[in-house]
Amino acid sequence: MRLLALTLLLFACVFAVNKKRRRERQDENVLPGCELVDGFKCKRRTLNKCKESSNIKQLRKYCFAMSGHDSMMEELQNIFENSERPRKARMIEALETGYVSQASFKEAGSCSIGGGTIRTFDNYTHTLTAGPCTYALAIDRSISDLVVYGVFDSYKDGRFANRLKEVAVYVQRTSLVLGEDYDINYQGIGYDAPARINKHMVVWQDDHYIYAEAEEFGVILRWDPAGQLKIAVDERYRNDVMGLCGMFNSDSTSDGEHNSLKYAYGKDDMSAHDFGKAWALAGCYHVPDSSVEERERNCDRNYMTRLCSVTHAAPGLVNCLRDKEIARRYQEECLKNLCLCDELDSCLYTETLRISNNCYDRIGQKVANDNLRAYLDNDQIQNFLPQDYQEVPTATIGPDNLESAHGEPESYYSFVPAASCYVYGHNHIQTFDGVNYQSDAHGCTYPLALRSGIQDFAIYGTYVAEQSSGELASSLMYVSFFDIKNRKRVQLGQGLEVNFEGKSVPLPYNSEFVSIWHNTEENQIYVYDFDVGVELRWDGESVAKISVDNRYHGKTKGLCGTYNDNDKDEINLLKKTRLTPSTYQIMVQEWKLPSCGFNADAYSDPAQCRPSLEDYDTCRRALTDVKFSFCVTDLPAIHFIERCEKDLCRCHDDEACKCEIVSAYAQMCEDAIGSALNWRSADFCPKNMCLFDNNGCKHICTPPGVCSCEPGFSLGADGKSCLVDIEGYN
């Protein structure tokens, strides 16, 4: 046996050496001009010259594939130009109305196309920057089993392909065209679904899509007539497709996905622009790379970013954007498309549809297209879009525009916040490092933020429970700022209750290091200490924002966390201990001041409270209001809805609790987009102006700010003053 094994091994080695030598001799016998390189011309004369070349089989195989592609291109061109040509007999079998797919199809990968964005079988995303044209989306390598083309147009006769208008699919030479308005075209004739076409394909539709199924060939197309396509394939197409949908080779990099007919297995360093052009039909105009770069360079990215956020705020999509990373991916893709768009309203609709269709694939939730269109037609969104021939006013900046508007010091404009912590609602906290948690703070005072070692500054928050028993939720009522370095103290209470060094002070107020002012436009109180580099903002009700500069990186403690760009170590204590608290709630109680006296047993466990569907609906309606649509990407509403419904479950005054969360969400939104939202109204969380200098009322102020007079007086014409009732003169 050992001798037999050695003999077989020797034979295998000899065979391998001979095979290598044959391959080397074959390479040596490639005739000049017959090398299979880019630009090889598949003409009969060229192939005849290469008949004696050792690679003639490879040349013929390559030219056969090229001729197949050219044939497909010609046939496709004829379809869209309505040219006459010989046709096979049509084989159409009508199916019963209400037909639902019977295919036992196991999806291995899918490619989705919406607007100019293409997400490949391997989840690589690229944007068509080439011009309006017909493009090959997915082709099997034999160019016979599957060929899918998309007809891309532009809006307003633009130069970029950002509208998928029609789709052509070929399965074993059976051609089908799917268009807008649920158009189904086979060999130039329109048909209604459901139907079986030429035995290879079944076409049917539901309330949202048209489906073209070729189960025998492992492919299903889902077409949204508003211009969204999904191509699903089974395992047989792995490593066996090419086109703009990629090569389905488990490589999601650009080098792994960019391909052409000449480079059917990919080409390194091919740009996305050239990738798109490589799969376009002949005769289309494509702008050069430099024009694309110029368009993107001149794009108002901040404005477009806000518009992209609008697409995320559409009704019904809140659960789909729970993941911030997914939302940011959508944002980047949308930004690219809008910068290349010549009609923003239409492109916004396309982007919203794209998210909606992807949402359907991920969580099975479908939003009707009509609802999405109605949402975008809202005046608050339409008024934000540029109007045709709209003249943009130019503001003249004079000396008065550069002066302090609310009493803030000049040094404030050089303050650069490095991190911010938000404290809001019924004891919710977002730390300096972006971690969100519910503190379950009781009616007590807690250090929100301080420098390690209790140096420079400390900020404390005092919570008050809705009921003395503590059964219900508690919210922030007072915020105290300590400049430890310079021995100064500021306390902020409800409304304009401002105390500096134990005395009530008018605003604005400036001391040597500390400045306090009231921004009347925002209705916010600001405390800024330039010496210690800390800013405190307080809305006079329940929302505080603490901002610190970069000197405190890795040096903070308290409920606002450690500020070290690490969201895994936010649980902290004043001093290091052998045992670290296992939850944020335990940590919070470890931070309470020693003077706090309460019976912990009297407090109900918030985890035992189960929000009702009514609580969820109340919060959802408030936090998905169209007013907040411009910041949904930065702040997915779903997380605030969850916090809101938890608060409502424990609150006595549901309306007040809801508005505290909405107010925090609005303030974070305004911080994210850098502009005011004007979100409040008389019937939507009106601010209690009675807290702010009695809203100017001379006698009685009733929330949210209605002035009235004591008996014997009548309200004056200004709605604030009170006049003595004098008979015959009132």
Side-chain angles (χ1 to χ4, degrees):
M1 290 295 292
R2 183 177 299 175
L3 180 60
L4 178 61
L6 290 172
T7 303
L8 290 173
L9 179 61
L10 180 61
F11 176 79
C13 292
V14 172
F15 178 81
V17 170
N18 290 337
K19 184 177 181 181
K20 181 179 180 181
R21 287 175 179 171
R22 285 196 303 271
R23 188 183 301 116
E24 290 173 350
R25 286 197 300 270
Q26 189 180 42
D27 292 341
E28 292 172 358
N29 294 330
V30 174
L31 298 179
C34 297
E35 298 88 354
L36 186 54
V37 295
D38 297 346
F40 180 81
K41 296 181 179 180
C42 294
K43 294 183 178 180
R44 182 176 298 177
R45 183 184 306 171
T46 307
L47 290 174
N48 286 337
K49 286 182 180 180
C50 298
K51 190 179 295 184
E52 301 302 324
S53 181
S54 60
N55 66 339
I56 185 62
K57 288 185 178 180
Q58 288 91 337
L59 294 176
R60 285 174 175 165
K61 184 177 180 180
Y62 171 78
C63 290
F64 174 77
M66 288 294 291
S67 64
H69 177 262
D70 292 341
S71 175
M72 285 293 177
M73 289 286 199
E74 183 179 352
E75 183 175 350
L76 185 73
Q77 199 86 41
N78 288 334
I79 286 177
F80 292 110
E81 292 176 359
N82 295 316
S83 301
E84 294 295 331
R85 66 190 189 284
R87 302 180 186 275
K88 295 181 180 180
R90 300 185 184 93
M91 298 178 63
I92 302 293
E93 175 191 351
L95 301 175
E96 291 183 7
T97 303
Y99 173 89
V100 178
S101 173
Q102 305 297 318
S104 55
F105 178 81
K106 187 174 181 181
E107 180 181 312
S110 65
C111 173
S112 58
I113 303 97
T117 300
I118 300 174
R119 192 163 184 82
T120 70
F121 294 116
D122 289 315
N123 291 320
Y124 165 72
T125 303
H126 63 100
T127 300
L128 271 179
T129 55
C133 194
T134 300
Y135 293 86
L137 300 175
I139 304 177
D140 75 292
R141 296 193 187 280
S142 67
I143 317 182
S144 59
D145 287 345
L146 173 66
V147 178
V148 182
Y149 282 85
V151 181
F152 288 82
D153 204 347
S154 64
Y155 294 105
K156 282 192 175 179
D157 298 322
R159 296 181 296 167
F160 300 99
N162 40 38
R163 175 192 176 199
L164 182 57
K165 188 176 180 181
E166 289 181 325
V167 178
V169 55
Y170 297 78
V171 175
Q172 280 289 38
R173 310 292 289 180
T174 297
S175 61
L176 182 71
V177 178
L178 305 176
E180 298 172 319
D181 299 323
Y182 291 91
D183 290 339
I184 303 170
N185 187 294
Y186 172 55
Q187 292 191 355
I189 304 296
Y191 291 92
D192 294 326
R196 188 182 304 278
I197 299 177
N198 212 20
K199 295 185 178 180
H200 295 314
M201 197 180 304
V202 173
V203 182
W204 61 284
Q205 71 182 66
D206 60 16
D207 293 337
H208 306 291
Y209 303 108
I210 296 175
Y211 298 85
E213 297 179 352
E215 182 181 8
E216 179 185 352
F217 298 94
V219 61
I220 295 179
L221 268 66
R222 187 189 72 194
W223 170 243
D224 180 339
Q228 308 285 318
L229 176 67
K230 176 184 175 182
I231 306 170
V233 297
D234 65 14
E235 193 65 33
R236 78 186 74 181
Y237 291 99
R238 190 174 296 277
N239 295 307
D240 195 39
V241 287
M242 49 190 174
L244 293 180
C245 281
M247 296 180 288
F248 198 15
N249 58 2
S250 303
D251 185 349
S252 59
T253 65
S254 59
D255 287 344
E257 291 290 68
H258 291 182
N259 65 92
S260 66
L261 196 62
K262 292 180 180 179
Y263 300 101
Y265 290 92
K267 182 180 187 301
D268 294 347
D269 302 323
M270 178 188 286
S271 70
H273 187 68
D274 289 339
F275 178 31
K277 291 196 300 182
W279 288 107
L281 283 180
C284 296
Y285 170 76
H286 304 292
V287 297
D289 269 337
S290 57
S291 296
V292 178
E293 293 170 359
E294 181 182 6
R295 181 72 173 258
E296 292 178 337
R297 187 168 55 250
N298 295 329
C299 179
D300 185 344
R301 299 180 70 84
N302 184 57
Y303 174 71
M304 295 302 181
T305 297
R306 301 279 65 84
L307 286 181
C308 287
S309 185
V310 168
T311 67
H312 300 177
L317 299 184
V318 61
N319 288 317
C320 194
L321 296 168
R322 181 183 297 269
D323 189 324
K324 267 191 173 183
E325 291 306 312
I326 291 178
R328 293 197 184 280
R329 190 196 80 206
Y330 286 146
Q331 184 84 336
E332 292 171 4
E333 296 164 359
C334 172
L335 189 59
K336 181 96 173 178
N337 284 329
L338 292 193
C339 284
L340 300 178
C341 183
D342 294 290
E343 187 180 333
L344 288 177
D345 181 53
S346 296
C347 288
L348 275 179
Y349 182 47
T350 298
E351 286 299 304
T352 308
L353 287 170
R354 190 168 66 85
I355 297 175
S356 175
N357 281 279
N358 185 266
C359 184
Y360 179 65
D361 290 331
R362 289 197 294 111
I363 66 174
Q365 182 175 329
K366 176 61 181 173
V367 182
N369 291 358
D370 290 345
N371 292 347
L372 298 176
R373 182 64 265 179
Y375 157 74
L376 292 174
D377 287 337
N378 189 288
D379 288 343
Q380 294 193 28
I381 295 174
Q382 290 296 315
N383 292 339
F384 193 71
L385 298 177
Q387 306 299 313
D388 290 340
Y389 312 110
Q390 180 178 4
E391 184 175 339
V392 180
T394 301
T396 301
I397 301 178
D400 291 341
N401 300 100
L402 303 178
E403 294 179 357
S404 169
H406 306 286
E408 59 270 34
E410 184 178 348
S411 60
Y412 177 68
Y413 295 102
S414 61
F415 174 64
V416 180
S420 297
C421 169
Y422 291 88
V423 185
Y424 62 95
H426 280 61
N427 48 70
H428 297 282
I429 293 178
Q430 179 176 300
T431 70
F432 290 122
D433 289 324
V435 173
N436 288 275
Y437 70 93
Q438 190 164 9
S439 68
D440 291 347
H442 301 311
C444 191
T445 299
Y446 301 85
L448 301 177
L450 50 83
R451 179 171 178 174
S452 302
I454 316 182
Q455 306 174 61
D456 291 350
F457 83 97
I459 297 177
Y460 288 81
T462 301
Y463 290 83
V464 176
E466 280 193 293
Q467 291 186 351
S468 58
S469 65
E471 292 180 3
L472 299 178
S474 60
S475 59
L476 192 62
M477 296 291 284
Y478 293 91
V479 186
S480 300
F481 171 81
F482 292 87
D483 178 342
I484 298 173
K485 181 179 178 181
N486 300 296
R487 297 181 176 276
K488 302 294 181 182
R489 174 180 177 173
V490 178
Q491 178 177 295
L492 306 178
Q494 295 293 287
L496 291 177
E497 183 185 340
V498 179
N499 187 293
F500 179 76
E501 288 294 284
K503 298 178 182 179
S504 179
V505 294
L507 299 183
Y509 184 84
N510 291 284
S511 70
E512 185 178 2
F513 304 107
V514 180
S515 298
I516 314 168
W517 67 93
H518 176 212
N519 186 318
T520 54
E521 295 172 2
E522 302 173 0
N523 252 319
Q524 301 270 11
I525 309 297
Y526 284 81
V527 178
Y528 171 61
D529 190 320
F530 77 89
D531 192 38
V532 298
V534 177
E535 175 195 64
L536 169 63
R537 189 182 75 191
W538 171 243
D539 73 346
E541 293 184 290
S542 64
V543 182
K545 178 187 177 185
I546 303 167
S547 299
V548 297
D549 64 19
N550 201 48
R551 79 183 77 174
Y552 298 105
H553 188 270
K555 298 178 182 178
T556 65
K557 285 184 176 292
L559 274 58
C560 281
T562 53
Y563 177 37
N564 56 4
D565 301 321
N566 181 1
D567 60 4
K568 306 300 181 186
D569 68 345
E570 296 294 73
I571 292 179
N572 67 94
L573 296 174
L574 182 62
K575 297 179 180 180
K576 290 185 178 180
T577 59
R578 295 180 60 186
L579 295 176
T580 301
S582 58
T583 67
Y584 285 103
Q585 291 71 32
I586 295 174
M587 175 197 76
V588 169
Q589 295 314 317
E590 290 294 325
W591 274 108
K592 70 181 184 295
L593 293 185
S595 59
C596 286
F598 59 85
N599 180 9
D601 295 333
Y603 287 76
S604 58
D605 183 0
Q608 301 301 316
C609 193
R610 295 288 182 264
S612 66
L613 182 60
E614 182 181 357
D615 291 338
Y616 171 80
D617 285 340
T618 298
C619 295
R620 179 188 57 79
R621 287 193 300 271
L623 288 160
T624 57
D625 190 279
V626 69
K627 299 182 184 72
F628 304 125
S629 60
F630 297 99
C631 55
V632 171
T633 302
D634 303 282
L635 298 166
I638 183 63
H639 305 301
F640 288 85
I641 292 173
E642 291 169 348
R643 294 162 201 160
C644 174
E645 63 177 344
K646 286 181 181 178
D647 284 2
L648 263 60
C649 182
R650 297 188 296 148
C651 280
H652 176 69
D653 187 342
D654 282 1
E655 183 66 17
C657 283
K658 176 196 75 176
C659 289
E660 286 180 6
I661 287 286
V662 175
S663 176
Y665 183 65
Q667 290 179 49
M668 292 184 193
C669 178
E670 290 171 334
D671 291 340
I673 67 176
S675 62
L677 292 176
N678 298 319
W679 60 278
R680 293 184 188 269
S681 64
D683 57 355
F684 187 77
C685 295
K687 194 172 184 70
N688 184 4
M689 296 306 298
C690 294
L691 296 173
F692 295 86
D693 198 22
N694 215 39
N695 198 27
C697 300
K698 302 306 179 184
H699 280 198
I700 302 170
C701 183
T702 304
V706 180
C707 296
S708 59
C709 300
E710 296 172 355
F713 293 82
S714 297
L715 196 64
D718 60 359
K720 308 285 185 180
S721 305
C722 290
L723 304 176
V724 176
D725 289 334
I726 300 177
E727 188 175 349
Y729 288 91
N730 284 30

